Amino acid sequence: MTATKTNRKFTLIFIVFLVLGIAYGGYKYIHSLSHETTDDAQVSKKMNPIIPRVGGYISKVFVKDNELVKKGDTLFTIDNSDYLVKVAEAKAALVAAENSYEAAKADIATSEANVAVSDANVKSASGTIETAKIRLRRATADFERYNNLYKNRSITKQQFEQAEAAKQEAESQLRILQEQQKASAYQKTVASAKTNVSNKQVLVAEANVKKAKALLDAANLNLSYTVVKASIDGQVSTVDMQPGQLVQPGQSLFYIINNQETWVVANFKETQLDKMRVGQQVKLKIDAFPGTEFEGEITSFSPATGSKFSLLPPDNASGNFVKTVQRLPVRINFTANNDSKKLQLLRSGMNAEVDVILK
């Protein structure tokens, strides 16, 4: 009798579990027809790395671990002594370049004046040569006339020699003036060439001024980089730094987490993507808040599977091949229907369960 009751009780329990199993299996099957789920998902936020643009020793740190900051707040400063010296050097170089530029412009004025003087000398020599040629023609005519008279014994030898000397003097004067004209023309050529050189020197001096200004701007810019400020509103991570610490340009020191934008990256199997589309509604559960359900929607699909972004992506052509199901990252944004206070509590890296409602 007792054994019969025990068998009935066992059969009843078995039937109950069987019915529950069938009901649960049926529910899961029906649910799978219009849903795709995964627990391979994490909360994500923008993490802005704090990287100094210049190197040096930290002089003061203004933030602490997990502190909220606003855009433009000073995070820390770097000792600026060396950069102040470079600014002073750049200013001195600019003054020297500007003085050289002014001197080069003055040389142009002098060179142009020399060209004008040489040109006037050439023109003056041309006029004097014409006068000398007239005198030479007259002296030559007088000499020929006196020569004929001397042959006829109409004049004395002294008069003939005076005419001959006047002719020779006119010839010599003409030669001297012609040489002077050549010298003046050469001086004009030299002065013109020097003017061209002076013009080029002015261009070089002007370029040096621009270069000096650029170097001064760069020095001032590097000086401003010694004050490191927050580029966004957010919350700083662990600040593992202290005054006196040497930092290098490009060195990642800590992060600012942007709490204004939050999303979930869910890694779905490639076999789940057939009916998934951008814009589909998503139900989200965060492990840290099991009693709260969040709403979201699919906004984008990754252009490649997660394995392709790994440090050592698989190369299936290199040897033995074992087919494995790949996962594709899917971005899911939270909708406006969620509680903003609850969203502020989410942290990057938290695990999530994702249920996509297929349409």
Side-chain angles (χ1 to χ4, degrees):
M1 192 72 177
T2 303
T4 303
K5 289 182 179 180
T6 302
N7 289 336
R8 288 179 180 178
K9 186 176 181 180
F10 175 79
T11 301
L12 181 61
I13 294 174
F14 176 76
I15 293 173
V16 170
F17 275 103
L18 180 63
V19 171
L20 291 175
I22 294 174
Y24 180 77
Y27 168 77
K28 282 294 184 181
Y29 174 75
I30 296 173
H31 183 272
S32 67
L33 296 178
S34 58
H35 294 259
E36 289 291 353
T37 61
T38 183
D39 59 358
D40 187 358
Q42 287 186 328
V43 176
S44 294
K45 294 186 179 186
K46 289 183 178 180
M47 300 175 61
N48 183 34
I50 302 303
I51 301 175
R53 297 190 180 187
V54 295
Y57 293 93
I58 295 176
S59 58
K60 191 172 182 180
V61 180
F62 294 89
V63 292
K64 298 179 181 179
D65 295 355
N66 309 325
E67 185 177 346
L68 294 174
V69 295
K70 295 289 185 180
K71 181 178 180 180
D73 288 350
T74 300
L75 304 176
F76 63 92
T77 56
I78 298 173
D79 183 23
N80 62 2
S81 302
D82 293 339
Y83 298 97
L84 288 173
V85 171
K86 292 180 180 179
V87 169
E89 290 178 350
K91 288 181 178 179
L94 177 59
V95 172
E98 289 175 341
N99 290 336
S100 297
Y101 177 62
E102 295 298 327
K105 289 196 298 183
D107 286 342
I108 285 184
T110 303
S111 299
E112 290 177 347
N114 291 335
V115 170
V117 171
S118 299
D119 186 56
N121 290 336
V122 170
K123 292 179 180 179
S124 176
S126 298
T128 306
I129 287 174
E130 291 300 323
T131 302
K133 287 180 178 180
I134 294 173
R135 290 178 60 191
L136 178 59
R137 285 194 297 269
R138 183 169 30 181
T140 301
D142 290 343
F143 172 75
E144 291 175 353
R145 185 169 58 255
Y146 275 82
N147 186 31
N148 292 330
L149 291 174
Y150 180 70
K151 289 179 180 179
N152 295 332
R153 305 297 181 182
S154 300
I155 60 173
T156 64
K157 184 177 181 180
Q158 182 180 5
Q159 290 175 321
F160 170 74
E161 290 177 348
Q162 288 177 348
E164 184 180 20
K167 175 179 175 295
Q168 292 175 350
E169 182 182 357
E171 288 176 346
S172 177
Q173 186 66 28
L174 178 60
R175 285 194 299 271
I176 292 172
L177 292 174
Q178 287 175 338
E179 291 299 326
Q180 289 178 348
Q181 184 187 37
K182 290 181 181 179
S184 297
Y186 179 74
Q187 288 177 351
K188 179 182 177 181
T189 302
V190 172
S192 298
K194 187 175 180 180
T195 300
N196 292 332
V197 172
S198 297
N199 285 327
K200 292 180 179 179
Q201 287 177 341
V202 168
L203 295 177
V204 172
E206 185 178 6
N208 288 334
V209 170
K210 292 180 179 179
K211 179 181 178 181
K213 288 181 178 179
L215 291 176
L216 178 59
D217 290 340
N220 283 322
L221 190 60
N222 286 334
L223 178 62
S224 69
Y225 289 154
T226 59
V227 180
V228 180
K229 298 182 179 181
S231 58
I232 60 171
D233 296 345
Q235 185 176 12
V236 299
S237 62
T238 302
V239 183
D240 188 14
M241 54 190 300
Q242 57 187 349
Q245 178 180 340
L246 177 63
V247 296
Q248 300 293 339
Q251 179 183 354
S252 180
L253 300 176
F254 55 93
Y255 290 87
I256 295 181
I257 312 302
N258 184 358
N259 291 324
Q260 303 303 315
E261 185 177 3
T262 308
W263 67 94
V264 169
V265 175
N267 300 295
F268 283 93
K269 297 178 181 179
E270 56 186 330
T271 54
Q272 296 179 280
L273 302 175
D274 182 38
K275 297 180 181 180
M276 292 176 58
R277 300 291 183 269
V278 173
Q280 289 176 341
Q281 298 300 309
V282 181
K283 299 295 183 181
L284 300 162
K285 289 184 178 180
I286 309 300
D287 290 0
F289 307 102
T292 303
E293 185 177 72
F294 296 89
E295 295 184 10
E297 65 176 12
I298 296 177
T299 56
S300 64
F301 293 85
S302 174
T305 61
S307 61
K308 287 298 181 181
F309 293 109
S310 63
L311 293 177
L312 297 174
D315 185 3
N316 294 332
S318 61
N320 295 331
F321 167 66
V322 178
K323 183 177 180 180
T324 57
V325 178
Q326 300 296 314
R327 288 184 178 268
L328 188 79
V330 178
R331 174 165 173 153
I332 300 170
N333 283 357
F334 290 93
T335 64
N337 296 330
N338 295 289
D339 187 348
S340 59
K341 293 182 179 180
K342 288 291 183 65
L343 288 179
Q344 291 293 329
L345 298 176
L346 300 182
R347 295 293 182 265
S348 183
M350 285 184 172
N351 289 318
E353 294 183 5
V354 176
D355 184 358
V356 178
I357 302 174
L358 304 177
K359 293 183 179 179

